[in-house]
């Protein structure tokens, strides 16, 4: 088949760099219709009455879309942004435009998967569909085992993939793209923030330690800036458990989650950095953390809905209650436990929390306050700029003891953790004063 008219449905792959479809578009394609669907269900409430997307990620998404449209235009194309469920919008557009092929990136979480299944059901009989994998560092086809054989312990997974899986290089961004069908599909303004999100963006400038801004341009600028100061990557393992400041960890996560940045591009830069400055435990640890990210992706793929259920993959849950009062105190940083409250206020006001903070507040909610872990995960889903279903629910299930943690009954002593990681209490003062 030599496709002439191609439709590309953008999802969480809002970039041009290392984008398999754009890099490998057949020469026969003379028109390319790029579409993004803003799905109103992403702003609906879930238990216990929390909108799935809060103000920080709404803003980050809109910035990413503006940048993507700008970058597509610079290459002779454009971006159609439509409101509505993709499984209806894409077939509707296809019905009217009759493309030869529809491309999209596969997601691994069950909700996103269901959207794909319904979309495919709605279009299969008429249009050819080609999907690709662009979210993980290790391509799923390069895994040295079938997905149902994925080890339930991270270390076993890491040992296997480090020995046997090869890493694919990133694709370069295309210099030029086929034209967009403007006459048939005029593009409209990208919706405003207020059309999507009921909650206003909190004023965060005063206390935020790092300013996130969505879009591939910012992502690549940040990536280059990170590796241009050798001390950062060279000391990552020592600094990564930090709490206060903008640069104790890489800060790649938000751009990775939105697909503004590809893990393979990070890896390529990391390899170049090691070739120039030398490899050490810290540079290895950046790779190690990206493997954690992959691991949760594959684990969710293996276990599907089970990951999102109370008993998780272990079929056993700690004693948990639907205690709304305690949850509200936790959510708003009013528990009276200063370290937990400082972390929760940072999240509330900025959309970010360190990994050390996330582990502690998650453990505190589940193991000290005995509240259902899925409520905590739902609040993180709303708040985190870097929210990603696999990393979020994978980590929450892990801390709650219903996921991939081989150690039973892990519990974070938050007072002890605060003494170790915030000995001068500067982080707590920063957020509590
Ligand atoms: C309860 C809980 C919920 C979380 N929810 C999310 C989420 O929704 N989205 C998300 O991206 N991360 C999540 N994480 C993982 C981790 O906290 C963040 O990825 C990290 O804090 C982001 O900051 P960074 O980019 O500076 O990370 P760095 O420390 O610099 O790590 C580099 C990259 O490795 C990956 N990574 C690091 N730690 C983890 C981890 N534990 N699990 C998966 N990937 C990891 C991220 O992509 C990160 O950008 C969660 C962790 C916990 C404990």
């Amino acid at each position: 088949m030599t496709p002439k008219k191609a439709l590309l449905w953008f999802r969480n792959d809002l970039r041009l760099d290392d984008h398999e479809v754009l890099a490998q578009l057949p020469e026969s394609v003379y028109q390319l219709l790029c579409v993004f669907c803003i799905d109103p269900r992403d702003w609906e409430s879930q238990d216990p009455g929390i909108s799935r997307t809060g103000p920080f990620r709404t803003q980050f998404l809109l910035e990413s879309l503006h940048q993507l449209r700008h970058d597509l235009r610079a290459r002779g194309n454009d971006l159609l942004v439509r409101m509505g469920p993709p499984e209806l919008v894409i077939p509707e557009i296809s019905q009217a435009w009759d493309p030869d092929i529809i491309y999209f990136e596969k997601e691994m979480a069950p909700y996103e998967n269901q959207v794909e299944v319904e979309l495919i059901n709605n279009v299969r009989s008429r249009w050819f569909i080609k999907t690709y994998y662009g979210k993980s560092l290790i391509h799923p086809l390069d895994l040295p085992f079938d997905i149902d054989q994925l080890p339930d312990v991270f270390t076993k997974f890491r040992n296997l993939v480090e020995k046997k899986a090869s890493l694919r290089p990133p694709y370069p961004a295309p210099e030029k793209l086929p034209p967009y069908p403007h006459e048939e599909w005029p593009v409209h303004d990208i919706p405003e923030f207020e059309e999507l999100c009921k909650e206003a963006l909190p004023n965060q400038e005063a206390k935020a330690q790092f300013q996130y801004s969505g879009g591939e341009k910012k992502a690549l600028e940040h990536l280059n800036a990170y590796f241009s100061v050798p001390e950062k990557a060279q000391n990552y393992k020592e600094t990564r458990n930090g709490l206060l400041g903008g640069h104790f960890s890489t800060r790649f996560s938000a751009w990775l989650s939105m697909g503004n940045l590809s893990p393979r591009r990070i890896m390529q830069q990391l390899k170049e950095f090691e070739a120039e400055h030398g490899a050490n435990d810290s540079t290895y640890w950046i790779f190690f953390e990206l493997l954690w990210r992959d691991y949760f992706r594959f684990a969710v793929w293996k276990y599907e809905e089970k990951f999102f259920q109370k008993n998780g993959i272990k079929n056993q849950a700690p004693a948990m209650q639907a205690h709304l009062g305690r949850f509200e105190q936790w959510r708003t940083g009013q528990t009276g436990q200063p370290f937990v409250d400082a972390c929760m206020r940072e999240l509330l006001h900025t959309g970010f929390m360190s990994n050390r903070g996330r582990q502690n507040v998650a453990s505190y909610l589940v193991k000290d306050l005995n509240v259902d872990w899925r409520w905590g995960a739902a609040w993180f889903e709303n708040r985190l700029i870097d929210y990603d279903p696999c990393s979020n629910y994978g980590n929450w299930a892990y801390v709650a003891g219903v996921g991939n943690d081989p150690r039973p009954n892990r519990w974070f002593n938050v007072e002890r953790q605060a003494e170790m990681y915030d000995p001068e209490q500067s982080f707590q003062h920063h957020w509590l004063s």
Side-chain angles (χ1 to χ4, degrees):
M1 210 257 299
T2 48
K4 295 182 178 125
K5 289 164 68 175
L7 188 155
L8 167 56
W9 168 35
F10 273 103
R11 307 178 78 188
N12 291 311
D13 53 345
L14 303 181
R15 64 170 185 273
L16 304 189
D17 179 51
D18 194 25
H19 196 291
E20 189 172 330
V21 173
L22 295 175
Q24 303 229 306
L25 209 58
E27 281 188 14
S28 58
V29 171
Y30 70 84
Q31 268 190 332
L32 174 66
L33 176 51
C34 293
V35 186
F36 183 84
C37 301
I38 295 186
D39 188 342
R41 291 172 298 194
D42 290 343
W43 282 265
E44 283 176 0
S45 288
Q46 62 179 332
D47 201 26
I50 294 172
S51 161
R52 286 164 54 110
T53 309
F56 297 110
R57 210 164 61 259
T58 302
Q59 176 75 5
F60 199 83
L61 169 67
L62 293 176
E63 288 164 352
S64 301
L65 290 176
H66 280 284
Q67 185 64 50
L68 182 64
R69 180 179 269 183
H70 173 276
D71 294 343
L72 286 169
R73 284 180 177 168
R75 286 159 179 83
N77 199 269
D78 211 327
L79 180 67
L80 179 67
V81 177
R82 291 286 288 265
M83 291 281 261
E87 71 275 20
L88 300 180
V89 171
I90 300 297
E92 186 196 307
I93 294 175
S94 305
Q95 182 77 37
W97 194 55
D98 199 19
D100 298 305
I101 189 163
I102 299 172
Y103 296 104
F104 63 84
E105 181 183 78
K106 271 198 78 55
E107 292 276 353
M108 285 165 180
Y111 176 80
E112 287 73 7
N113 239 320
Q114 188 54 31
V115 170
E116 283 171 30
V117 170
E118 286 177 28
L119 187 148
I120 290 169
N121 282 342
N122 290 346
V123 302
R124 168 166 278 162
S125 53
R126 291 207 48 195
W127 298 284
F128 189 67
I129 291 180
K130 197 165 173 193
T131 60
Y132 76 103
Y133 294 101
K135 288 224 87 69
S136 50
L137 179 60
I138 296 164
H139 196 287
L141 297 177
D142 299 338
L143 284 174
F145 42 74
D146 290 337
I147 198 67
D148 59 352
Q149 298 300 313
L150 175 81
D152 284 339
V153 176
F154 170 74
T155 309
K156 283 191 190 155
F157 161 80
R158 179 172 67 87
N159 289 339
L160 279 172
V161 295
E162 282 191 1
K163 266 193 215 118
K164 296 188 179 162
S166 54
L167 297 180
R168 299 186 183 191
Y171 294 99
E175 284 175 14
K176 205 170 176 314
L177 287 169
Y180 174 98
H182 275 117
E183 288 192 1
E184 290 147 283
W185 297 99
V187 299
H188 303 289
D189 286 347
I190 293 170
E192 297 290 330
F193 178 94
E194 293 72 23
E195 292 173 60
L196 303 176
C197 189
K198 290 194 191 101
E199 184 185 341
L201 201 62
N203 181 5
Q204 42 155 329
E205 279 85 39
K207 286 192 169 178
Q209 304 284 295
F210 186 88
Q211 295 298 327
Y212 284 99
S213 186
E216 181 173 14
K217 183 165 180 271
K218 294 283 182 197
L220 293 176
E221 280 171 13
H222 175 69
L223 179 68
N224 292 330
Y226 183 79
F227 285 114
S228 69
V229 181
E231 295 73 39
K232 288 184 184 166
Q234 278 167 341
N235 296 312
Y236 169 78
K237 198 171 175 212
E238 286 74 49
T239 61
R240 60 178 281 272
N241 278 308
L243 298 163
L244 197 59
H247 303 289
F248 54 79
S249 59
T250 66
R251 300 277 185 163
F252 292 152
S253 58
W255 288 293
L256 278 168
S257 296
M258 200 64 77
N260 294 163
L261 185 60
S262 130
R264 293 187 295 219
R265 179 62 64 199
I266 297 178
M267 206 52 212
Q268 190 223 27
Q269 289 256 25
L270 181 59
K271 289 282 158 217
E272 285 175 12
F273 180 89
E274 289 183 333
E276 193 181 341
H277 300 279
N280 65 10
D281 274 3
S282 280
T283 56
Y284 167 77
W285 218 259
I286 296 175
F287 168 60
F288 177 94
E289 293 299 342
L290 290 173
L291 283 185
W292 263 113
R293 179 177 175 274
D294 270 19
Y295 181 62
F296 284 127
R297 218 149 294 281
F298 297 135
V300 166
W301 199 17
K302 174 179 174 182
Y303 283 106
E304 302 175 341
E305 286 85 6
K306 274 192 132 203
F307 243 107
F308 299 78
Q309 291 165 0
K310 188 174 182 177
N311 293 348
I313 63 171
K314 295 244 169 96
N315 285 326
Q316 55 175 49
M320 295 181 298
Q321 297 162 5
H323 204 302
L324 203 52
R326 285 185 208 159
F327 175 73
E328 275 306 297
Q329 286 171 343
W330 175 85
R331 187 181 73 80
T332 54
Q334 310 284 344
T335 65
Q337 206 306 318
F339 183 44
V340 170
D341 288 350
C343 292
M344 294 308 294
R345 289 186 201 183
E346 180 183 21
L347 178 65
L348 181 69
H349 295 296
T350 70
F352 183 81
M353 189 195 298
S354 67
N355 187 57
R356 182 57 43 187
R358 293 181 204 201
Q359 290 175 317
N360 274 278
V361 302
S363 169
Y364 190 77
L365 182 76
V366 182
K367 308 274 172 77
D368 291 76
L369 299 181
N370 300 117
V371 172
D372 192 329
W373 67 271
R374 292 166 306 168
W375 285 12
W379 176 239
F380 270 34
E381 177 170 348
N382 168 290
R383 222 62 195 166
L384 284 175
I385 305 182
D386 67 22
Y387 167 73
D388 162 273
C390 305
S391 293
N392 190 49
Y393 283 83
N395 273 290
W396 269 98
Y398 188 100
V399 178
V402 300
N404 296 96
D405 188 356
R407 240 175 70 182
N409 307 323
R410 189 188 295 267
W411 171 71
F412 285 78
N413 179 335
V414 292
E415 281 171 29
R416 178 89 190 90
Q417 290 271 313
E419 281 164 20
M420 281 169 69
Y421 294 102
D422 191 24
E424 313 293 327
Q425 298 173 5
S426 42
F427 170 73
Q428 291 164 74
H429 285 144
H430 183 79
W431 287 105
L432 300 180
S433 58

